[in-house]
Amino acid sequence: MGHTSLEKIIALQKNPANIRNLCILAHVDHGKTTLADCLVASNGIISSRLAGKLRYLDSREDEQVRGITMKSSAISLHYRNGDQEYLLNLIDSPGHVDFSSEVSTAVRLCDGAIVVVDAVEGVCPQVNAITGTLFTSKVLEERAEKEKEEEKESETLSGDQVFDWSAGLEEVDDSHLYFSPEQGNVVFASAIDGWGFSIQQFAHIYSQRMGIKAEVLLKTLWGDFYLNAKAKKIMKGAQAKGKKPLFVQFVLDNIWSLYDAVVTRRDKEKVEKVVASLGIKVMARDLRHSDPKVLLSAICSQWLPVSQAVLSMVCEKLPSPLDMASERAEKLMSVGARRFDSLPAQTQKLKTAFLQCSSEDNAPVIVFVSKMFAVDTKALPKYKPRPLTQEEIVQRRELARQRHADRMAADQTAAESHKELAHSEIMMESLTVKDSKPEEEEELKETFIAFARVYSGVVKKGQRVHLDGIYNSNLAINVLVHSFSHLCQVPEGCSASDCVFEVPHLSCCSMESIYLLMGRELEDLEEVPAGNVLGIGGLEECVLKSATLSTTPACPPFTPLNFEATPIVRVAVEPKHPSEMPKLVRGMRLLNQADPCAEVLIQETGEHVLVTAGEVHLQRCLDDLRDRFAKIEISASKPIIPFRETVVRPPKVDMVNEELGKQQKVAIIHQVSHQVISQVMDGLVTLTTPNRLATVCVRAIPLPQEVTQLLESNSEVIRTLEQINMSLREGKSLDISLRTLEAIAGLKDQLDSLLQGRKWRNAVERIWAFGPRRYGPNILLNNVDSYQRPSVWQCLGRGDKTVEAGAQAAVLRDFDNSIISGFLLATLSGPMCEEPLMGVCFCVERWDVQSSAPAQHQESFEEDSMSHKALADNKVERSSETSAQEEGMASGLGQAERRPEPASDCYGPVSGQLIAAMKEACRHAFQAQPQRLMAAMYTCEIMATAEVLGRVYGVLGKREGRVLHEEMKEGTDMFIIKAVLPVAESFGFADEIRKRTSGLASPQLVFSHWEVISSDPYWVPTTEEEYLHFGEKADSANQALKYMNAVRRRKGLYVEEKIVEHAEKQRTLSKNK
């Protein structure tokens, strides 16, 4: 097929029934980009000889050097299947786990995918992660439709019905969801050699030759069937009878014999016979070529072209934009914990627009931007060189001839002075050109293009739309309720060009330019109808990473993208020349916008921190920052490794596995800055404020591991719960969806089932707060007998959906927020190395406040809620380096300003002192228990042969890794090793393992969980056995102490270590003679 014109693609865009939006998914190095090259070559964009070598969709220089894809690239292809013409919007996605965020941005815009599986390595971890998500969503859609039918049938039945939820999966015929060659959704191919086929192709060929029905061959070519030559029948049981299966006999034997003749034996006569029997023509230069692969590719690309097999399968098996499932449309619009049926009526009507995918004038325009990507301004269509017309070519030719004639005449008659003058003019001209270059360079900069898809309506150049970009789930409830309440005030015919209503997250923007994405090139378009993928220019000032664009304000923001890889690797970045700091700040802002996964933070210490998903991702971001966005020399710190601090149960054995005796701790009294701290035997810490007006008793208890994991995985639900409680304390009524209440009730039930035992009796009802930042994996428990505060689960106390603030809120005691704020500050930065706490429960056993002021009335509660909000906004969100003294002072001053009455000291200095006292009490209660560090862990999956297995184990053991299991891949000599590896030890791990195994093993690292480091960082040897095992220093083998000291040193905290180990007097050379 020749090169497709732009006009043809524009015409195809108007028929959504023949549009296919698809992406290529696979593990790293399994041939996605090579396959994409073959498909691109079918449209004449590149030569078929360069397919697999050019890697056309890898446009970045580092992609070509490393040989891996790092970003998603889109291209539009034209394909004719029978009498139908199709437009295929193809997106090539990365396979490396560090760039899985790019895969998420591509999958959101597509209706289907091509999954590439290597025949040698088989299904790998990345493929499992991707296809698992796709398969689950498809099964759930099928099950949802089946359940709706069952509900209709059950309405006519009487009595209670018990339904098995797994029955929906078992009863429905889901065979079409699986990959199977006989269903036509599997193609066997070699992209590098240019061949590919499906079972249908060979069934059609052999049905004509052998006179067997194509339907019979379709069912028997793949499976345990063989051909009985005597009976001329296809029979079952090839494996049991030792016969060749039909697939081997009819398909693979032919391909193997071709490889044998062309590549192995180079038999010219047999090659000529094969070419003649296949009825194809091969050029003489291909037959004479020294590389047999060239001849093989020439034969295969005509006999079994891979592009034809793949693209015909795509056209037949993948859905068009018109076939979008209603379940998917509902999921896209149901942001946060809201159900689709709880959305306003105007919003629910938009579901019809999704399903119809209409391009009519009255259809609302709905566009989703999945990412922003940067392109060089010179690559934009308006800066492309325009082809000259015939008249312009003739005119330029005449001018060139005239100049040449004048120059020849001048050379003959000009004097020496004239030559010098001409030389000086040329020099002046070159100087002016040189002077103007920096100005041009300043003008040329990176331009951001939005990678988007039109779900409804027609996008036109210069069109104004509403931009909906709220993806902060912490504000989701309040903002969405506020925005949906404004929809009743919006007129029916409101457009984006009208005034923007006072909706917090809604703004207005203009789509200045629209582009057709063609791999490395962009083409200007005037309009794009529904169902197409496009690029939008002019949104760089409006959209950060992703957003929803619509002409109707009733369209909610789409569900945010779900990234598989969590950003975990941090580095601090600074310019080599301090005067270039503004360029660095601008460059990091552009990098944050260009990368969907990277995060940019500015800490209170002034450090600019870059957070990335892994080592390869970090290197790419630093290169982009240096060469594209900041264009300055930068220096990056060593990776900042995150840790967590926790407490554990008292160990029963020591470091040498000797049983510990029952040693009773003696009470210790510390006198620190007028604060009296007493620590008793069972870990209860009592602390009094400096003004002697308040006393708190706190005990730290380790949470069960299952509870910690539950709190961490349900952080969004806890954040929602806190937002609801905040609104209730402020006296607001809130409409809470049934789905939200179900999620909160489910969390409470799970906590009830996990917190069992005498010490956890009634603990769930006594939860005071979660921390840090009000939604972390730590709990504050209220064990004060005389204080019955409202439950955090009070929103579950009423049956109806609307919960109003009642008189229950009045029982909140004075300074309740001060206790919570102290707890939040303590959990944000622990005493070991100022890292956040994890899996710790602080129980407040006693809390006494002596006040000379009269008892407070309802006004105190209002002030309390104000201080609660101020503390939550201004203090809790700070980084772990924030000092406690500044927090206490700021809080005290803020409270004193709000309460001007000198008679009452309720919100004066006492509040600030109580915050500081509570924080210190929590820290000392933490130190009273056995302390441990928690390290971030990667899950590491390695595929290796038996020869290098020992070397893989050696590298893992050296880096504190732990092998979970290994298994041999069936049918191969490859072993799959699954291990866990600390993030702190992972830097350089991939390079080292490749060097040690000569490239035969390559790991995939994905952040998995937090794990307690078993060794005690404060342990020192005391007994003879311990000295024998660990020596006198005992610091060389203490991994936790090494990590803790490294973090403390980085933060500028005190580190207890010897500066000089063995001091000696300096000797001079003369004394040594």
Side-chain angles (χ1 to χ4, degrees):
M1 188 180 290
H3 185 68
T4 308
S5 65
L6 180 61
E7 291 75 19
K8 182 69 177 175
I9 291 178
I10 292 172
L12 290 171
Q13 283 184 337
K14 296 176 182 177
N15 182 13
N18 284 6
I19 294 174
R20 299 291 183 269
N21 298 313
L22 69 147
C23 55
I24 304 179
L25 308 174
H27 193 71
V28 65
D29 289 335
H30 277 195
K32 297 179 299 300
T33 309
T34 307
L35 175 62
D37 269 8
C38 294
L39 303 183
V40 170
S42 70
N43 270 225
I45 298 171
I46 62 172
S47 167
S48 58
R49 293 175 178 273
L50 293 176
K53 304 178 184 72
L54 185 63
R55 301 208 304 277
Y56 181 72
L57 294 180
D58 286 353
S59 54
R60 293 171 56 97
E61 185 181 350
D62 48 0
E63 288 180 319
Q64 294 286 344
V65 171
R66 281 184 178 266
I68 61 172
T69 304
M70 296 185 183
K71 65 169 190 356
S72 300
S73 302
I75 191 167
S76 294
L77 304 176
H78 167 228
Y79 179 67
R80 182 186 292 276
N81 188 25
D83 58 346
Q84 294 287 325
E85 290 186 281
Y86 291 89
L87 175 66
L88 309 173
N89 296 315
L90 178 72
I91 305 176
D92 182 29
S93 62
H96 197 285
V97 71
D98 280 10
F99 307 106
S100 59
S101 58
E102 293 280 347
V103 180
S104 300
T105 61
V107 168
R108 171 58 66 88
L109 303 184
C110 295
D111 299 310
I114 301 172
V115 181
V116 180
V117 179
D118 187 90
V120 177
E121 294 188 1
V123 178
C124 288
Q126 185 72 355
V127 177
N128 276 327
I130 297 163
T131 53
T133 308
L134 295 174
F135 176 76
T136 306
S137 63
K138 185 68 180 172
V139 170
L140 290 177
E141 285 172 13
E142 297 282 337
R143 191 179 73 177
E145 290 173 7
K146 183 172 178 62
E147 283 169 3
K148 284 177 186 174
E149 293 172 6
E150 288 180 354
E151 282 174 12
K152 289 176 183 175
E153 292 173 6
S154 63
E155 283 175 4
T156 59
L157 301 175
S158 60
D160 295 332
Q161 300 288 328
V162 179
F163 293 101
D164 180 10
W165 291 101
S166 61
L169 291 175
E170 293 168 1
E171 293 172 11
V172 71
D173 180 21
D174 56 0
S175 59
H176 63 284
L177 298 177
Y178 296 95
F179 296 111
S180 179
E182 62 262 25
Q183 292 188 23
N185 58 5
V186 174
V187 162
F188 301 90
S190 171
I192 196 70
D193 290 333
W195 59 264
F197 64 88
S198 62
I199 294 291
Q200 283 78 358
Q201 286 177 261
F202 276 95
H204 180 66
I205 292 169
Y206 282 108
S207 67
Q208 292 177 341
R209 286 190 182 180
M210 302 175 64
I212 302 174
K213 290 182 180 179
E215 293 80 9
V216 175
L217 285 172
L218 270 176
K219 293 177 181 178
T220 56
L221 261 180
W222 182 258
D224 192 25
F225 298 95
Y226 72 97
L227 179 66
N228 189 330
K230 292 181 180 178
K232 294 185 179 180
K233 287 182 180 179
I234 295 173
M235 306 184 76
K236 199 171 184 179
Q239 190 174 0
K241 296 177 182 178
K243 302 284 186 179
K244 273 188 183 180
L246 281 181
F247 185 72
V248 175
Q249 185 179 352
F250 286 179
V251 181
L252 293 185
D253 279 349
N254 291 322
I255 295 172
W256 289 337
S257 62
L258 178 64
Y259 269 81
D260 181 60
V262 176
V263 180
T264 310
R265 292 192 296 170
R266 301 196 181 186
D267 190 342
K268 288 186 179 179
E269 292 181 4
K270 189 170 182 180
V271 169
E272 288 173 1
K273 286 181 182 178
V274 169
V275 169
S277 64
L278 293 176
I280 58 178
K281 293 181 181 179
V282 180
M283 297 176 69
R285 67 176 183 180
D286 290 336
L287 288 167
R288 293 194 303 267
H289 204 283
S290 59
D291 185 4
K293 287 280 188 178
V294 174
L295 176 58
L296 180 70
S297 179
I299 295 171
C300 291
S301 60
Q302 295 182 62
W303 177 36
L304 299 170
V306 64
S307 58
Q308 182 183 339
V310 173
L311 296 181
S312 60
M313 177 183 70
V314 164
C315 295
E316 291 167 9
K317 296 298 176 183
L318 291 188
S320 71
L322 293 174
D323 300 328
M324 178 184 282
S326 59
E327 180 88 353
R328 185 182 178 196
E330 292 178 8
K331 281 182 181 177
L332 285 176
M333 290 192 284
S334 302
V335 68
R338 294 185 69 92
R339 293 176 71 102
F340 179 76
D341 50 16
S342 69
L343 297 174
Q346 294 180 38
T347 305
Q348 292 190 37
K349 286 179 184 176
L350 294 178
K351 179 181 171 182
T352 310
F354 272 93
L355 300 180
Q356 289 179 348
C357 194
S358 173
S359 301
E360 300 293 332
D361 293 337
N362 58 355
V365 174
I366 302 174
V367 180
F368 180 73
V369 176
S370 68
K371 71 168 182 173
M372 302 289 288
F373 65 95
V375 296
D376 193 347
T377 307
K378 291 184 285 188
L380 294 178
K382 61 182 177 182
Y383 292 109
K384 278 186 184 177
R386 182 174 56 84
L388 299 174
T389 61
Q390 195 64 33
E391 292 79 10
E392 288 173 332
I393 293 172
V394 172
Q395 190 178 359
R396 290 196 179 193
R397 189 187 298 127
E398 290 300 324
L399 283 171
R401 284 175 180 170
Q402 185 66 36
R403 279 199 211 108
H404 182 68
D406 292 345
R407 196 180 298 114
M408 294 296 290
D411 286 344
Q412 293 174 1
T413 58
E416 193 67 31
S417 59
H418 184 68
K419 286 183 181 179
E420 291 177 5
L421 181 62
H423 181 67
S424 64
E425 286 178 0
I426 291 168
M427 289 296 292
M428 288 296 292
E429 188 178 349
S430 66
L431 283 171
T432 55
V433 169
K434 285 179 183 176
D435 290 342
S436 64
K437 273 186 181 178
E439 294 176 7
E440 291 175 9
E441 287 178 4
E442 287 296 324
E443 290 177 6
L444 294 172
K445 58 180 182 177
E446 296 287 337
T447 302
F448 280 89
I449 306 293
F451 191 43
R453 173 178 168 177
V454 187
Y455 284 93
S456 173
V458 179
V459 173
K460 296 180 181 177
K461 196 172 183 179
Q463 188 176 17
R464 288 184 65 79
V465 289
H466 293 297
L467 186 144
D468 214 335
I470 171 173
Y471 289 118
N472 182 359
S473 54
N474 196 18
L475 304 173
I477 291 181
N478 287 342
V479 171
L480 283 177
V481 169
H482 186 47
S483 63
F484 287 144
S485 66
H486 282 71
L487 290 181
C488 57
Q489 304 169 12
V490 177
E492 285 293 329
C494 171
S495 67
S497 57
D498 301 333
C499 61
V500 179
F501 291 86
E502 295 179 0
V503 180
H505 63 284
L506 206 62
S507 58
C508 208
C509 64
S510 175
M511 295 184 280
E512 295 174 6
S513 48
I514 298 170
Y515 301 110
L516 175 69
L517 304 174
M518 293 296 292
R520 300 181 183 185
E521 297 179 358
L522 299 169
E523 297 288 349
D524 254 327
L525 296 175
E526 290 300 319
E527 62 178 34
V528 176
N532 287 284
V533 174
L534 76 161
I536 304 173
L539 298 180
E540 58 263 23
E541 298 299 327
C542 310
V543 179
L544 179 61
K545 291 179 185 284
S546 59
T548 307
L549 311 178
S550 177
T551 52
T552 168
C555 182
F558 282 12
T559 306
L561 297 166
N562 184 26
F563 296 148
E564 184 193 346
T566 309
I568 193 78
V569 181
R570 300 179 174 221
V571 291
V573 183
E574 62 180 11
K576 286 198 172 176
H577 305 291
S579 60
E580 294 178 329
M581 180 58 82
K583 290 184 179 179
L584 176 68
V585 173
R586 178 181 171 275
M588 292 191 78
R589 180 177 60 81
L590 295 177
L591 175 65
N592 185 38
Q593 190 172 16
D595 195 298
C597 188
E599 296 176 6
V600 173
L601 309 172
I602 301 177
Q603 296 186 343
E604 291 203 354
T605 55
E607 283 182 309
H608 289 72
V609 175
L610 179 63
V611 192
T612 58
E615 200 174 358
V616 182
H617 187 209
L618 171 65
Q619 190 58 49
R620 192 198 77 170
C621 288
L622 291 176
D623 290 344
D624 278 354
L625 193 60
R626 190 182 295 111
D627 302 332
R628 295 184 68 184
F629 300 126
K631 294 184 179 177
I632 58 171
E633 287 296 316
I634 59 173
S635 57
S637 69
K638 288 182 179 179
I640 301 169
I641 313 300
F643 289 95
R644 296 289 184 266
E645 302 179 24
T646 190
V647 293
V648 295
R649 286 182 171 186
K652 294 180 181 178
V653 293
D654 60 8
M655 294 286 284
V656 290
N657 292 328
E658 294 287 338
E659 190 173 353
L660 288 171
K662 293 183 178 179
Q663 302 171 359
Q664 294 191 350
K665 297 180 182 177
V666 183
I668 305 167
I669 298 178
H670 302 279
Q671 187 79 24
V672 184
S673 65
H674 309 293
Q675 296 179 355
V676 181
I677 305 167
S678 64
Q679 179 180 321
V680 296
M681 186 178 65
D682 59 351
L684 186 69
V685 171
T686 305
L687 191 140
T688 307
T689 55
N691 57 12
R692 310 287 191 217
L693 292 180
T695 304
V696 288
C697 293
V698 180
R699 178 185 285 113
I701 306 172
L703 282 172
Q705 186 179 355
E706 298 82 7
V707 175
T708 306
Q709 292 171 353
L710 178 68
L711 295 177
E712 196 177 17
S713 60
N714 285 275
S715 59
E716 294 296 327
V717 178
I718 299 171
R719 196 184 293 192
T720 304
L721 177 65
E722 177 56 34
Q723 287 288 327
I724 294 169
N725 288 336
M726 177 96 67
S727 300
L728 295 177
R729 281 194 293 272
E730 291 172 357
K732 295 179 182 175
S733 59
L734 192 62
D735 180 22
I736 309 169
S737 72
L738 186 62
R739 183 177 173 184
T740 307
L741 291 174
E742 286 173 358
I744 294 170
L747 174 62
K748 184 183 177 185
D749 292 341
Q750 285 179 289
L751 283 173
D752 270 324
S753 63
L754 293 173
L755 291 175
Q756 297 290 337
R758 184 175 55 83
K759 66 177 179 179
W760 298 113
R761 187 177 299 144
N762 222 10
V764 178
E765 291 294 340
R766 291 186 280 110
I767 291 176
W768 199 329
F770 299 93
R773 298 187 175 91
R774 298 188 180 274
Y775 57 87
N778 302 285
I779 292 176
L780 179 66
L781 275 189
N782 175 22
N783 279 358
V784 183
D785 295 332
S786 59
Y787 181 34
Q788 297 295 326
R789 72 185 302 278
S791 170
V792 293
W793 316 101
Q794 58 183 318
C795 61
L796 301 176
R798 298 185 53 146
D800 55 345
K801 290 171 69 176
T802 305
V803 182
E804 297 180 357
Q808 208 181 14
V811 302
L812 274 176
R813 197 164 150 185
D814 296 338
F815 306 115
D816 183 272
N817 285 320
S818 301
I819 296 291
I820 294 175
S821 298
F823 160 74
L824 295 176
L825 290 172
T827 52
L828 195 59
S829 56
M832 295 173 70
C833 50
E834 301 293 332
E835 290 287 302
L837 303 189
M838 189 173 190
V840 184
C841 174
F842 291 103
C843 302
V844 181
E845 303 289 345
R846 187 163 66 90
W847 173 31
D848 299 329
V849 179
Q850 302 169 8
S851 177
S852 56
Q856 300 298 313
H857 47 82
Q858 180 65 22
E859 186 184 351
S860 71
F861 165 67
E862 294 170 4
E863 293 286 345
D864 193 31
S865 64
M866 288 173 63
S867 69
H868 178 83
K869 187 175 181 182
L871 284 167
D873 293 340
N874 299 332
K875 296 175 179 59
V876 180
E877 292 295 334
R878 294 187 179 182
S879 66
S880 59
E881 284 85 357
T882 308
S883 66
Q885 289 81 4
E886 291 178 1
E887 291 287 344
M889 288 171 60
S891 170
L893 289 172
Q895 302 289 358
E897 286 174 4
R898 288 195 185 92
R899 195 61 180 258
E901 294 89 345
S904 171
D905 197 25
C906 181
Y907 295 102
V910 178
S911 175
Q913 289 185 12
L914 187 54
I915 291 173
M918 181 63 189
K919 178 186 174 184
E920 289 303 315
C922 289
R923 289 171 75 97
H924 284 86
F926 182 90
Q927 290 173 311
Q929 302 291 335
Q931 306 168 65
R932 296 290 184 272
L933 268 185
M934 295 183 79
M937 304 297 285
Y938 277 137
T939 297
C940 174
E941 298 228 9
I942 307 170
M943 293 188 69
T945 56
E947 295 83 38
V948 297
L949 211 54
R951 297 177 191 175
V952 170
Y953 274 77
V955 176
L956 281 170
K958 176 184 169 186
R959 291 178 174 265
E960 306 292 329
R962 188 175 74 254
V963 177
L964 300 178
H965 64 82
E966 78 168 49
E967 58 183 9
M968 193 168 189
K969 196 166 185 63
E970 192 176 349
T972 68
D973 61 345
M974 304 287 289
F975 283 86
I976 300 174
I977 304 158
K978 189 166 185 179
V980 288
L981 182 76
V983 174
E985 304 289 341
S986 67
F987 300 98
F989 172 71
D991 288 338
E992 184 180 359
I993 210 164
R994 275 195 290 267
K995 286 176 186 173
R996 292 288 302 276
T997 61
S998 304
L1000 293 175
S1002 183
Q1004 283 273 59
L1005 300 173
V1006 184
F1007 175 70
S1008 172
H1009 64 285
W1010 296 90
E1011 191 171 285
V1012 177
I1013 302 173
S1014 58
S1015 55
D1016 183 0
Y1018 296 107
W1019 178 84
V1020 288
T1022 53
T1023 65
E1024 190 175 339
E1025 290 85 3
E1026 289 171 353
Y1027 274 110
L1028 188 64
H1029 278 81
F1030 297 99
E1032 290 187 3
K1033 293 186 294 180
D1035 54 354
S1036 57
N1038 196 334
Q1039 197 73 13
L1041 180 64
K1042 185 183 84 171
Y1043 291 150
M1044 187 180 79
N1045 284 344
V1047 175
R1048 292 185 70 89
R1049 200 176 293 112
R1050 175 173 59 81
K1051 293 185 177 181
L1053 303 172
Y1054 171 69
V1055 179
E1056 189 175 345
E1057 60 183 351
K1058 290 182 180 178
I1059 306 299
V1060 179
E1061 190 68 33
H1062 301 291
E1064 286 186 2
K1065 201 176 210 180
Q1066 182 181 357
R1067 295 179 178 181
T1068 60
L1069 292 174
S1070 59
K1071 286 184 180 181
N1072 288 333
K1073 287 179 181 177

